[in-house]
Amino acid sequence: MSAWTQYSPTRIFFGVGEARNISQHLAATGHTRVLLVADPFMVKSGIAQEVVDGSAGIIQGVFHEVDPNPTVANVNGAAAAARQANADGIIALGGGSVLDASKAAAAALGSGLTAEQLVTGSPVTGALPLIAVPTTAGTGSEVTPVAIISWEERNIKFPLGSPLLYPQVAVVDPELVYSAPGKVIAASGIDVIDHCLDALSSVKHTPLTDNNALNGARIAFANLERAANDKDKEAINEMMLASLIAGLAFSQTGTTGSHAASYYLTSRYHVPHGEATAFTEDAWFRINARHRPEINELVARIGFADADAVADRLNEIKKSLGLRTTLEELGIPLEDVDGLAQHTVDANNYGNNIAQLSKEEVKELFLTRSSARAGA
Amino acid sequence: MSAWTQYSPTRIFFGVGEARNISQHLAATGHTRVLLVADPFMVKSGIAQEVVDGSAGIIQGVFHEVDPNPTVANVNGAAAAARQANADGIIALGGGSVLDASKAAAAALGSGLTAEQLVTGSPVTGALPLIAVPTTAGTGSEVTPVAIISWEERNIKFPLGSPLLYPQVAVVDPELVYSAPGKVIAASGIDVIDHCLDALSSVKHTPLTDNNALNGARIAFANLERAANDKDKEAINEMMLASLIAGLAFSQTGTTGSHAASYYLTSRYHVPHGEATAFTEDAWFRINARHRPEINELVARIGFADADAVADRLNEIKKSLGLRTTLEELGIPLEDVDGLAQHTVDANNYGNNIAQLSKEEVKELFLTRSSARAGA
């Protein structure tokens, strides 16, 4: 039994309709003036206004200029809006992008830094308290201490991380996902499974993260298809829970192979994040289980024969959800497999992956995704 | 799916030998002067001195006058010692008693109150940071926000509770238990199972506490006999982990029937805490599963046919560990069953129990423990 550590300080409120009780959760934090950073869809749909109305006057401003891959400009804009509102905290209402941008803005304000300074390595020395209200079942960012911020002009995509970035409060309300398109529920939901399998595949796994990862995977495997394909509300509730539990796991372990292999798919070929991580997850999980055979015993606890059975079931779900599974479907030429492999082994989180494949081996892994090749 | 909340802010360091690295964990907290409150056995065995030696000069004093059921005098004494050492934090090295006394002293100092004021209901408004280092595999107190303190002159036994009482850091080192007598490992270890079954039986159960309770029970059922009867080190490691995980569960749900039914057994008949909670746990678990049938499905996840199979296995372990299972063995006259039942339904935590039995029903439950009656 080797040594490990765990730190999950976020106070969680989970429940259908909880976002409408935001004033109660704000009271628990002692905030008196906060900025709401909201997803543009949340503003358009009126949900942001409902949250403002439920805040008992504590929300003093709304900022909604956040790109799908949040930029330094987004972060600086949110920080300026918070300064203008004289805010002592930030509420983030949105998907992973809004949560990440808000974390970075909170760090910029608390550390007296610009977003550009943060993404070039200036250390986080403080952060405004953050209340995270996720509107997708997938990111888990409501309980993680990491934010991915881009500075496009400099070709920088920086994983800003600090224990100070754990949200103070997470208000997890499945109702916020009920109106999401099935395609969004599918792509974000498959990422929940990827977070869980990545956590099991991390060199930083612990008995607590293993248990959370198994539990999150168990719930997601049982509910994702009904949530995405049928928009079943009970299944969406369960996916929101699975996303949170997956966050509790990978907040400690980091993400691993499937995520390392996904960034170039997203940045170069615009594959949605969840679809991109799922693209290779089955292969990584099989390989990692060969390097950590205990994974086979662990997944037996949630009813799988072994890691291969998990990978097979993941592939079944990908098909059922209509996610693309070949390089050809994604429009990626075989000659760029070298680039895919290079970006994977260069990714910050690749070091977390138990199986440290060489670049050539990662190329082979990607080639199994080609319909032109046997075994795809 | 009903609404729930979760708050587990303690930073955990787990590992064999971790207590010897205490200076590293102190550095993470920023403390510069702390008081060590240590179990008398830890002082005698030299382990307290090892911790002092490993503290890089940060430990400025040692206090070790803590009774098995910590008193207001113990708490005031620890608080005075901390004041004298000009301490900005407290390290608690011991079993549940030392951890509880230290939490209360930290609250007394942080709130500017005496122990007498705290146990008569003056609210905790602050607390010195606490580093909890458990030396038994059972209490789980290293991650809970509760301390039980007695004021014997006034016949008060007060469950002091506040989110401010969560230890800032828990250093969980199984090595500290290796030298404990098998009897102590048995009595504290059975309490781990009781914490898990109580958490499943609480009206405050959540999906996260259910998962932790199941995981803690799974580990404890598999390892307790080897830890207590054979003093197997790997099994003790696992029991230390199970104790921590059980603490993560019942810190959120509170304890329930088995604990409510235990206090009078301990205060009047001096039954050790774990033996006292285990005395009725099997019966409470069967009854609670009838009121929350989902418990049967939950325990199936860890390989039990149903709640009855869990209760049967618990009874098997009690026998194997040599714990007493009848009123006669404990020397309790049948005429005091009324007192046992009254103290149970009057206990603060009885309201957490899913099955709200009447006093008469609780009497019947206790009578099933008489060897003079059928079904004992």
Side-chain angles (χ1 to χ4, degrees):
Chain A
M1 189 182 264
S2 51
W4 51 267
T5 183
Q6 159 95 8
Y7 184 50
S8 271
T10 303
R11 192 188 291 263
I12 300 162
F13 296 94
F14 187 103
V16 175
E18 278 299 311
R20 272 178 271 130
N21 305 326
I22 202 99
S23 65
Q24 292 166 26
H25 307 314
L26 285 170
T29 66
H31 296 305
T32 53
R33 302 176 61 89
V34 303
L35 175 75
L36 175 65
V37 179
D39 187 284
F41 173 78
M42 288 292 130
V43 174
K44 209 160 58 184
S45 68
I47 294 175
Q49 191 56 47
E50 280 182 44
V51 170
V52 172
D53 294 344
S55 80
I58 292 172
I59 294 176
Q60 296 280 327
V62 180
F63 180 85
H64 57 81
E65 286 152 43
V66 180
D67 296 312
N69 291 306
T71 64
V72 287
N74 299 152
V75 173
N76 288 329
R83 229 178 268 114
Q84 198 179 350
N86 196 20
D88 57 11
I90 295 177
I91 302 180
L93 174 74
S97 313
V98 165
L99 268 53
D100 282 9
S102 301
K103 282 180 189 171
L109 289 161
S111 307
L113 295 169
T114 63
E116 288 81 356
Q117 289 172 312
L118 284 173
V119 303
T120 51
S122 295
V124 178
T125 55
L128 244 61
L130 182 73
I131 295 99
V133 190
T135 59
T136 57
T139 167
S141 179
E142 66 272 18
V143 289
T144 77
V146 176
I148 313 240
I149 305 297
S150 298
W151 187 1
E152 292 181 354
E153 292 78 0
R154 296 256 187 121
N155 205 21
I156 288 174
K157 191 160 187 174
F158 190 75
L160 185 67
S162 161
L164 295 165
L165 291 190
Y166 278 106
Q168 185 180 30
V169 173
V171 178
V172 186
D173 181 351
E175 205 173 60
L176 297 173
V177 181
Y178 290 170
S179 57
K183 247 175 66 173
V184 170
I185 295 174
S188 50
I190 202 80
D191 201 28
V192 172
I193 295 178
D194 296 334
H195 288 151
C196 293
L197 303 189
D198 268 25
L200 292 168
S201 304
S202 170
V203 295
K204 299 188 203 152
H205 71 84
T206 79
L208 301 189
T209 64
D210 281 349
N211 193 44
N212 278 325
L214 289 173
N215 197 30
R218 183 184 61 77
I219 298 169
F221 273 121
N223 289 282
L224 176 51
E225 288 160 295
R226 248 180 341 122
N229 294 342
D230 310 336
K231 306 261 318 241
D232 178 279
K233 286 183 181 176
E234 265 308 315
I236 292 174
N237 294 350
E238 294 292 333
M239 283 307 300
M240 205 68 172
L241 173 63
S243 173
L244 169 72
I245 294 174
L248 292 172
F250 86 86
S251 62
Q252 311 299 308
T253 61
T255 51
T256 58
S258 83
H259 276 70
S262 79
Y263 301 130
Y264 188 61
L265 292 173
T266 297
S267 64
R268 174 86 176 78
Y269 296 103
H270 309 290
V271 183
H273 175 71
E275 191 172 25
T277 61
F279 188 66
T280 57
E281 179 69 83
D282 54 300
W284 289 108
F285 197 59
R286 289 184 213 270
I287 294 164
N288 281 311
R290 288 207 285 278
H291 288 74
R292 185 189 176 203
E294 187 193 7
I295 286 178
N296 293 300
E297 296 160 41
L298 289 170
V299 298
R301 280 201 227 151
I302 56 167
F304 287 98
D306 55 22
D308 283 341
V310 173
D312 291 344
R313 174 81 180 107
L314 174 60
N315 286 337
E316 195 180 287
I317 292 181
K318 287 197 283 191
K319 289 226 170 78
S320 155
L321 298 180
L323 299 177
R324 293 163 292 177
T325 57
T326 66
L327 292 167
E328 289 75 9
E329 284 176 287
L330 296 180
I332 301 177
L334 284 189
E335 48 270 31
D336 202 15
V337 163
D338 193 81
L340 289 168
Q342 189 64 55
H343 281 85
T344 301
V345 299
D346 287 348
N348 277 304
N349 52 359
Y350 187 61
N352 294 335
N353 200 64
I354 288 177
Q356 285 293 303
L357 303 190
S358 68
K359 182 184 152 189
E360 282 307 308
E361 289 167 322
V362 177
K363 267 173 79 167
E364 280 305 310
L365 187 157
F366 272 109
L367 285 171
T368 65
R369 312 287 106 165
S370 163
S371 58
R373 297 252 309 211
Chain B
M1 189 182 264
S2 50
W4 52 268
T5 183
Q6 159 96 7
Y7 183 51
S8 273
T10 303
R11 191 188 291 262
I12 300 162
F13 297 94
F14 187 104
V16 175
E18 280 297 311
R20 273 179 269 131
N21 304 326
I22 202 99
S23 65
Q24 292 166 26
H25 307 314
L26 285 170
T29 65
H31 296 305
T32 54
R33 302 176 61 88
V34 305
L35 175 75
L36 175 66
V37 179
D39 188 286
F41 173 78
M42 288 293 131
V43 174
K44 209 161 56 184
S45 67
I47 295 174
Q49 191 55 47
E50 280 183 44
V51 170
V52 172
D53 294 344
S55 80
I58 292 172
I59 294 177
Q60 296 281 326
V62 181
F63 180 84
H64 57 82
E65 287 152 41
V66 180
D67 296 313
N69 291 303
T71 64
V72 287
N74 299 153
V75 173
N76 288 329
R83 230 178 266 113
Q84 198 179 349
N86 196 21
D88 57 10
I90 295 177
I91 302 181
L93 174 73
S97 312
V98 165
L99 268 53
D100 282 11
S102 301
K103 282 180 190 172
L109 289 161
S111 308
L113 295 169
T114 64
E116 288 81 358
Q117 289 172 312
L118 283 173
V119 302
T120 50
S122 294
V124 178
T125 54
L128 244 60
L130 183 73
I131 295 100
V133 191
T135 60
T136 58
T139 169
S141 180
E142 67 272 20
V143 289
T144 77
V146 176
I148 312 235
I149 305 297
S150 298
W151 187 0
E152 291 181 353
E153 293 76 1
R154 297 255 187 120
N155 207 21
I156 288 172
K157 192 160 185 172
F158 189 76
L160 186 66
S162 160
L164 295 165
L165 291 189
Y166 279 106
Q168 184 180 27
V169 173
V171 178
V172 186
D173 181 352
E175 206 173 59
L176 298 174
V177 180
Y178 290 170
S179 58
K183 247 175 64 174
V184 170
I185 296 175
S188 50
I190 201 82
D191 202 27
V192 172
I193 296 178
D194 296 334
H195 287 153
C196 293
L197 304 189
D198 268 26
L200 292 168
S201 303
S202 171
V203 294
K204 299 188 204 152
H205 70 84
T206 78
L208 300 189
T209 64
D210 282 348
N211 193 45
N212 277 325
L214 289 172
N215 197 31
R218 182 184 62 76
I219 299 168
F221 274 121
N223 290 283
L224 176 52
E225 288 159 296
R226 247 177 345 121
N229 295 341
D230 310 337
K231 306 260 318 241
D232 178 279
K233 286 183 182 177
E234 265 307 315
I236 292 174
N237 294 350
E238 294 291 334
M239 283 307 301
M240 205 69 173
L241 173 63
S243 174
L244 170 72
I245 294 174
L248 292 173
F250 86 87
S251 62
Q252 311 299 308
T253 61
T255 52
T256 58
S258 83
H259 277 70
S262 78
Y263 301 130
Y264 188 60
L265 293 172
T266 297
S267 64
R268 175 87 176 77
Y269 296 102
H270 310 289
V271 183
H273 175 73
E275 191 173 23
T277 60
F279 188 66
T280 57
E281 179 69 84
D282 55 298
W284 289 109
F285 197 60
R286 289 184 213 270
I287 293 165
N288 280 311
R290 289 208 284 279
H291 287 75
R292 185 190 175 204
E294 187 193 7
I295 286 177
N296 294 299
E297 295 161 40
L298 289 171
V299 297
R301 280 200 227 152
I302 57 168
F304 287 98
D306 54 23
D308 283 340
V310 173
D312 290 344
R313 174 81 181 109
L314 174 61
N315 286 337
E316 195 179 287
I317 292 181
K318 288 198 283 190
K319 288 224 171 78
S320 155
L321 298 180
L323 300 176
R324 294 163 292 176
T325 57
T326 66
L327 292 167
E328 289 76 9
E329 284 177 286
L330 295 179
I332 301 177
L334 285 188
E335 47 272 29
D336 203 15
V337 164
D338 192 81
L340 288 169
Q342 188 65 55
H343 280 85
T344 302
V345 299
D346 286 349
N348 277 305
N349 51 359
Y350 187 61
N352 293 336
N353 199 64
I354 287 176
Q356 285 294 303
L357 303 189
S358 68
K359 182 185 153 189
E360 283 307 308
E361 289 168 321
V362 177
K363 267 172 81 168
E364 281 304 310
L365 187 156
F366 272 109
L367 285 171
T368 64
R369 312 287 106 163
S370 164
S371 58
R373 296 250 311 209

